[in-house]
Amino acid sequence: MTEIVAGAAAGSAALQAGALDFFGDAANYAISLGVAGMALTWRARAAITKGSTLIAFALWCWAARHGTLFTAHCHGLMSWAWWGSRP
């Protein structure tokens, strides 16, 4: 939860994506454990649901980043200049 709030406050798509990844992993394990002893039909439905949510998470990350992809920020340019000047 802290990473989500910090990412939103800082406007960091990387922090938000990291938090979403952790949430997705936890949900994935919970669903897998929940259907472990069930019939194949339920496990297949769970697999489709998990795959669909991963696609939704990826689209959300892309959409969150797409709006700032071509926007030049001074801090971002300075960071790249610093990394580029390292030996």
Side-chain angles (χ1 to χ4, degrees):
M1 189 68 172
T2 303
E3 193 173 17
I4 293 171
V5 173
S12 172
L15 281 175
Q16 292 173 7
L20 190 60
D21 180 48
F22 290 144
F23 173 76
D25 289 344
N28 186 10
Y29 292 137
I31 290 170
S32 295
L33 289 173
V35 299
M38 293 185 174
L40 184 59
T41 304
W42 285 104
R43 290 184 294 183
R45 289 178 186 157
I48 291 171
T49 301
K50 291 188 308 184
S52 299
T53 56
L54 286 175
I55 290 170
F57 287 166
L59 291 174
W60 179 84
C61 290
W62 181 83
R65 185 65 185 139
H66 181 68
T68 60
L69 186 60
F70 297 108
T71 305
H73 295 288
C74 182
H75 175 70
L77 293 175
M78 295 304 288
S79 297
W80 281 108
W82 180 80
W83 277 104
S85 66
R86 295 181 65 199

